[in-house]
Amino acid sequence: MAAKILANLIVMGSGILARAFVQGYRQALANASKSGVAQETVQNIRRASKIMAEPEARQILGVTEHSTWEEILQKYDNLFEKNAQNGSFYLQSKVHRAKECLEAAYQKKGQDATNA
């Protein structure tokens, strides 16, 4: 008899705790959406996933700061094709992002040289 009462208390207590947890989670989501924290977090995640630092890009492609654009394109084509054959989409995308980063850096240097 005592075991049955104890089991009922445990079941009822866990049900109450589960409902309270769900209600608290819903309230936290509502508060986050009102304050804009959720949108800001999503934007930061998206922004961070797209941005690659120039030193990282140079390391991925295996080029130096003094490499010409033709050398960078040659390294890019070589690495991109190797990863296309082996089927590594992740590495292919890293190589592509590295080329995009360096392309933006070289374009910026070209604009700075024409403005000076």
Side-chain angles (χ1 to χ4, degrees):
M1 182 73 168
K4 186 176 180 182
I5 293 172
L6 185 59
N8 281 338
L9 285 174
I10 291 173
V11 169
M12 286 176 48
S14 63
I16 291 169
L17 284 175
R19 282 191 297 260
F21 178 75
V22 169
Q23 185 179 8
Y25 184 72
R26 285 183 183 160
Q27 187 63 43
L29 287 177
N31 291 342
S33 65
K34 286 180 186 175
S35 67
V37 172
Q39 290 86 0
E40 184 180 343
T41 302
V42 168
Q43 288 174 353
N44 287 341
I45 291 170
R46 286 182 184 158
R47 194 175 305 128
S49 66
K50 292 181 181 178
I51 297 175
M52 179 180 288
E54 191 175 336
E56 181 185 4
R58 291 190 185 285
Q59 186 178 16
I60 288 171
L61 293 177
V63 296
T64 64
E65 292 179 13
H66 307 292
S67 298
T68 64
W69 182 245
E70 289 75 26
E71 291 173 330
I72 292 172
L73 285 179
Q74 183 181 11
K75 291 273 193 166
Y76 165 77
D77 290 336
N78 186 20
L79 289 171
F80 194 85
E81 288 303 317
K82 282 184 180 179
N83 287 306
Q85 293 169 358
N86 295 335
S88 178
F89 181 73
Y90 173 76
L91 290 177
Q92 244 183 336
S93 65
K94 285 297 245 185
V95 168
H96 184 70
R97 294 285 180 233
K99 179 195 150 235
E100 285 180 339
C101 175
L102 292 178
E103 186 175 23
Y106 271 77
Q107 286 177 352
K108 186 177 177 183
K109 285 181 186 178
Q111 289 176 353
D112 290 344
T114 57
N115 291 337

